[in-house]
Amino acid sequence: MHRGRLFRRTLVYALGCGLLAIGLVPSAFAQCQLNSPSGKLKHVVYVEFDNVHFTRDNPNVPSDLEQMPNLLNFIKQNGTLDAGDHTVLISHTANDILTTEIGLYSDKHGIFIANSFGVFQTGNSSNIFFPSSFFYWTDKVSDITPATNDNTPALTTPEGKNVPAPWVPFTRAGCDVGAFSTANIVLERTPFDVQKVFGSGSQQANDPNAFDDFIGATIHCAIGSPICTKANGGVADLLPDEPGGYSGYNALFGLKYIAPALGGLADYQGNPITGFGAIDFDPLPAQTLAVVETMLKKGIPIVFAYIADAHDNHSGGGTFGPGEAGYVQQLKDYNTAFGTFFANLKAAGIDQSNTLFIFTPDEGDHFSADPPSPTNCDGVTTPCTYPPNPTTGAPGIGELDLFLNNVVAAAGDATTFSIHFDDAATTYVPGQPLPSDSTVRQLERTMAGLSVVNPHTGLPESLLGNGLGPELQGAIVDPVGQKLLHMNSAADPTREPTFTFFGDPNFFFETSSTNPSTTASVGTGFAWNHGDIQPEIGRTFIGIVGPGVRNLGVTEPDDFFTDHVDVRPTMMFLAGLKDDYKTDGRVILELLDRNVLPSSLHAHSDTLLQLGQIYKQINAPFGDLAKSTLKISTYAIESDTAGDAVYNNLENQIASWTDERDELTSQIKSMLEAAEFSGQPIDEQKAFHIVVEGQALLGEASFCASLPQVCAVF
């Protein structure tokens, strides 16, 4: 670099730091260099909701977003709400947040069961543990639960390396990245997260208020940022496995350091936000959006944040049903906070003209309850109530809690097993037996045949649901099917469940060694189940606004297919950056202004759209190939034929589809990424052949799903 230019830059930087000290310029000091195709992007705001819905849970009651018009109208008037987005499997908070943040399916990051994940103890597979899925980015499994003896990174690539971190492309571009209550990119648990970052003997690790002080909020800084100085509490931001290296970067961890560095934090009611204890990963919009606003105004141009669901009672505990007065009031409060947020940002010159806004939920939910009273209530003019069931006397709202091990034992199956508590029970049999083991096969058949009385209806209900019907309501898969669904870990096979039981979404499955009950009871504190495969759980939305985004209002769910992994590459494309790894997603071209597309995308847009859609249908956990696989796997596992011939033949069929799928998706990913991020044109003829092969694969799987008894004899 020319010496005079270097001197001038050094002088300007020093002047900027001096002005920063007296509060005259923002902390980022214009060092953030986004290379957006629009040339206008200055900020990125990514907000992930917990279980906020665009579609209605009761056709008479406006949905969550409909009762937040300040947010919904902002998206509709300035960008697009994609109503055809989908989650991954298992469709649960930790897994869905991770997948959206990094654009990788669960088999590429290792957390395919959430909010904890099962692990057979290394060296003794008779012991099974369930470490929490909420941990800091660089933790190992043994950091979370030492007894596992599992020293692989909790976030592990198929090669056994720590998964690349989502803030890195931004900090490498000179942009500070703020995070508030967002899974795994902030410190999550004490003491080991604090010990890992600050040192086991540090003052911070011995702080009696460590959770309040250091958990839940982080600023990952660019090199030279005046925010993450040692004087402000900055420490090294260590990512030892990051491709290309990552040294010289610092971060601030915790509100103890972040709040004073930003000149103080307060929610929209004026209450100071000085610690995380009162929030506890359950922040409301008036808190989260106030923090995001402050970070943006203080020059932190990239912010990731999380907002709690609106259906749980955040003031008195328990949960609400659609249209209940408390639910409606909370949504009014949410709406007010978004109105304040957008107005304050616009007054500060931060709006859709220079900022990319992304809003998406982790997953949807299935509501378990009696019908509301009155039946025509809408919640807005006529409040809904959910009185106790007049026949059974059971509470009107609540999931159906069931001790699955007791029901299995009562059916005559004495097999010991552990499960991840959920309505999708990932099941672990001690000793990690093979899928073909006779004990495992019998346990699968036993579970698939169970039924229990539903206290909301007083009628028996199959725990598996209608696994072979037109609308998939339940299914069962073992490791062969789990691999196609991206529910495995090549680097750490001790995490693989023996099988997964996608059950009736009204039930929440648990196990107990002390309570012998075999009947379902209404869990009054919880009523919104997720983790399962039903449409109300697996189909969500993406709201996206900003430079380069088309203003389409609301798209229909069937217009095109997207899922969580597509958010990341779309964000990177619009920011003009590139990850240091290959994502599993695609840039959502349907949402982008053609004026910002390079020639490699513009000239081949029709082919790319076809390629992108076939890619989704053969690869996504809620794509057509996955749906067919769930039906076929259920048929195979329920079968009981001589030599288990039906099971073996159909399992081999699924395995062959997985191999074919992997070969096709590898080619598609390379073609899409080259066109999206390297300006390389598409080979039209090759793309055509890939689309045809993908369609043939889908057709074969669909035929087998409709006539599995025919496919089983081939």
Side-chain angles (χ1 to χ4, degrees):
M1 181 181 291
H2 189 275
R3 179 175 294 182
R5 186 179 304 160
L6 174 62
F7 173 77
R8 287 194 298 274
R9 287 189 176 178
T10 303
L11 178 62
V12 171
Y13 178 79
L15 177 61
C17 290
L19 293 173
L20 171 70
I22 58 175
L24 294 182
V25 297
S27 65
F29 181 56
Q31 61 185 349
C32 183
Q33 297 297 316
L34 300 177
N35 189 30
S36 65
S38 67
K40 300 176 182 178
L41 189 65
K42 303 298 181 184
H43 320 92
V44 177
V45 176
Y46 168 99
V47 175
E48 187 132 18
F49 290 104
D50 185 29
N51 315 132
V52 165
H53 301 174
F54 171 64
T55 55
R56 294 187 175 191
D57 298 291
N58 178 324
N60 296 327
V61 178
S63 70
D64 296 340
L65 280 190
E66 287 176 313
Q67 293 186 61
M68 289 190 279
N70 287 330
L71 172 59
L72 182 57
N73 290 338
F74 176 79
I75 297 170
K76 290 167 60 177
Q77 293 168 7
N78 301 295
T80 299
L81 189 138
D82 165 20
D85 185 48
H86 297 76
T87 69
V88 294
L89 290 172
I90 282 191
S91 182
H92 219 310
T93 303
N95 184 15
D96 287 325
I97 292 176
L98 279 167
T99 303
T100 313
E101 284 177 348
I102 58 181
L104 294 174
Y105 285 129
S106 312
D107 53 356
K108 303 293 179 56
H109 61 65
I111 306 299
F112 49 89
I113 312 300
N115 290 334
S116 60
F117 58 101
V119 179
F120 291 97
Q121 185 182 44
T122 301
N124 184 1
S125 60
S126 294
N127 295 325
I128 303 158
F129 298 91
F130 290 90
S132 170
S133 297
F134 298 106
F135 49 79
Y136 185 56
W137 201 267
T138 57
D139 283 338
K140 297 179 179 179
V141 177
S142 55
D143 291 329
I144 309 166
T145 305
T148 61
N149 298 329
D150 187 334
N151 292 319
T152 59
L155 285 173
T156 182
T157 66
E159 297 75 31
K161 297 288 188 180
N162 193 195
V163 172
W167 61 86
V168 168
F170 295 107
T171 54
R172 282 179 174 162
C175 313
D176 293 344
V177 178
F180 185 73
S181 194
T182 307
N184 306 99
I185 63 177
V186 299
L187 302 189
E188 301 243 12
R189 293 163 64 84
T190 55
F192 60 81
D193 280 352
V194 178
Q195 293 172 347
K196 175 176 283 288
V197 167
F198 293 103
S200 58
S202 65
Q203 178 183 353
Q204 292 88 345
N206 295 315
D207 185 339
N209 298 314
F211 187 93
D212 204 43
D213 289 343
F214 308 118
I215 300 300
T218 300
I219 300 175
H220 298 279
C221 284
I223 290 178
S225 168
I227 283 284
C228 292
T229 62
K230 186 176 181 180
N232 282 348
V235 293
D237 198 357
L238 300 177
L239 296 171
D241 286 349
E242 193 68 27
Y246 195 73
S247 59
Y249 293 85
N250 286 349
L252 293 186
F253 293 97
L255 291 170
K256 179 176 181 177
Y257 297 130
I258 291 173
L262 298 181
L265 292 169
D267 65 20
Y268 283 150
Q269 282 73 50
N271 303 306
I273 301 176
T274 58
F276 207 75
I279 299 169
D280 195 19
F281 293 101
D282 202 27
L284 302 178
Q287 298 165 325
T288 292
L289 298 177
V291 172
V292 173
E293 177 190 326
T294 301
M295 286 184 172
L296 291 169
K297 288 180 175 179
K298 293 293 184 178
I300 298 170
I302 317 296
V303 185
F304 290 77
Y306 171 84
I307 293 175
D309 65 73
H311 54 238
D312 285 332
N313 186 342
H314 295 292
S315 59
T319 193
F320 294 120
E324 281 199 282
Y327 195 170
V328 172
Q329 181 57 54
Q330 285 189 166
L331 286 169
K332 287 182 179 179
D333 295 339
Y334 278 45
N335 184 55
T336 298
F338 273 101
T340 301
F341 177 67
F342 292 128
N344 289 355
L345 288 185
K346 188 172 184 63
I350 302 171
D351 60 17
Q352 65 273 10
S353 69
N354 56 28
T355 303
L356 177 64
F357 294 90
I358 297 175
F359 302 97
T360 189
D362 45 17
E363 68 272 331
D365 308 84
H366 173 86
F367 179 57
S368 182
D370 283 359
S373 178
T375 56
N376 64 343
C377 64
D378 63 7
V380 179
T381 59
T382 305
C384 299
T385 62
Y386 296 82
N389 186 289
T391 302
T392 66
I397 292 180
E399 68 192 14
L400 307 182
D401 293 334
L402 183 69
F403 297 121
L404 189 58
N405 60 324
N406 295 342
V407 185
V408 168
D413 194 325
T415 305
T416 300
F417 60 91
S418 297
I419 64 172
H420 174 262
F421 293 0
D422 206 341
D423 58 329
T426 44
T427 305
Y428 300 78
V429 176
Q432 207 168 5
L434 294 173
S436 59
D437 181 270
S438 59
T439 301
V440 172
R441 294 288 294 114
Q442 184 54 54
L443 178 61
E444 292 170 332
R445 295 188 195 102
T446 299
M447 282 194 190
L450 295 174
S451 63
V452 173
V453 171
N454 179 340
H456 288 309
T457 64
L459 300 173
E461 200 162 310
S462 168
L463 296 188
L464 185 60
N466 182 14
L468 298 177
E471 285 293 333
L472 207 59
Q473 291 300 313
I476 186 166
V477 293
D478 64 10
V480 171
Q482 287 166 181
K483 184 176 181 181
L484 187 141
L485 298 170
H486 302 288
M487 290 175 55
N488 69 332
S489 174
D492 193 3
T494 62
R495 304 186 199 187
E496 185 163 69
T498 309
F499 61 90
T500 300
F501 185 81
F502 292 106
D504 183 317
N506 287 313
F507 290 88
F508 187 86
F509 301 120
E510 304 172 66
T511 61
S512 175
S513 60
T514 58
N515 189 328
S517 175
T518 58
T519 60
S521 60
V522 177
T524 56
F526 301 93
W528 298 86
N529 276 344
H530 40 268
D532 223 318
I533 57 175
Q534 295 75 28
E536 66 270 25
I537 293 173
R539 189 174 65 218
T540 61
F541 68 87
I542 304 169
I544 182 167
V545 172
V549 178
R550 295 175 70 186
N551 182 201
L552 298 177
V554 177
T555 65
E556 294 297 323
D558 295 331
D559 285 351
F560 52 88
F561 186 106
T562 61
D563 67 353
H564 279 358
V565 297
D566 299 328
V567 173
R568 180 69 183 190
T570 304
M571 178 195 298
M572 289 292 99
F573 176 83
L574 289 170
L577 301 177
K578 185 177 180 180
D579 279 309
D580 51 22
Y581 59 92
K582 285 188 176 182
T583 70
D584 287 321
R586 68 179 185 99
V587 175
I588 309 173
L589 297 178
E590 294 90 338
L591 303 183
L592 303 189
D593 187 335
R594 292 176 67 89
N595 292 329
V596 303
L597 300 181
S599 58
S600 58
L601 298 181
H602 201 290
H604 303 277
S605 58
D606 291 341
T607 303
L608 284 163
L609 291 175
Q610 294 179 40
L611 202 60
Q613 284 303 297
I614 200 71
Y615 177 60
K616 294 282 85 176
Q617 294 303 333
I618 66 175
N619 202 30
F622 280 90
D624 286 344
L625 181 60
K627 291 179 180 178
S628 295
T629 296
L630 285 166
K631 293 182 180 181
I632 296 161
S633 175
T634 303
Y635 184 91
I637 287 173
E638 288 184 312
S639 69
D640 188 4
T641 56
D644 228 357
V646 166
Y647 169 78
N648 290 325
N649 289 346
L650 292 177
E651 288 275 290
N652 289 337
Q653 185 68 74
I654 293 171
S656 71
W657 291 338
T658 303
D659 291 340
E660 186 177 352
R661 186 274 309 273
D662 289 347
E663 182 178 348
L664 286 173
T665 55
S666 177
Q667 296 179 63
I668 296 173
K669 279 200 293 186
S670 295
M671 294 178 73
L672 291 178
E673 184 169 285
E676 292 162 351
F677 293 100
S678 300
Q680 297 181 19
I682 287 287
D683 184 328
E684 292 274 355
Q685 186 174 9
K686 182 178 180 181
F688 172 77
H689 286 298
I690 289 175
V691 170
V692 170
E693 289 181 58
Q695 291 171 338
L697 174 59
L698 293 176
E700 180 183 344
S702 178
F703 171 79
C704 283
S706 61
L707 293 169
Q709 67 274 22
V710 175
C711 279
V713 301
F714 291 116

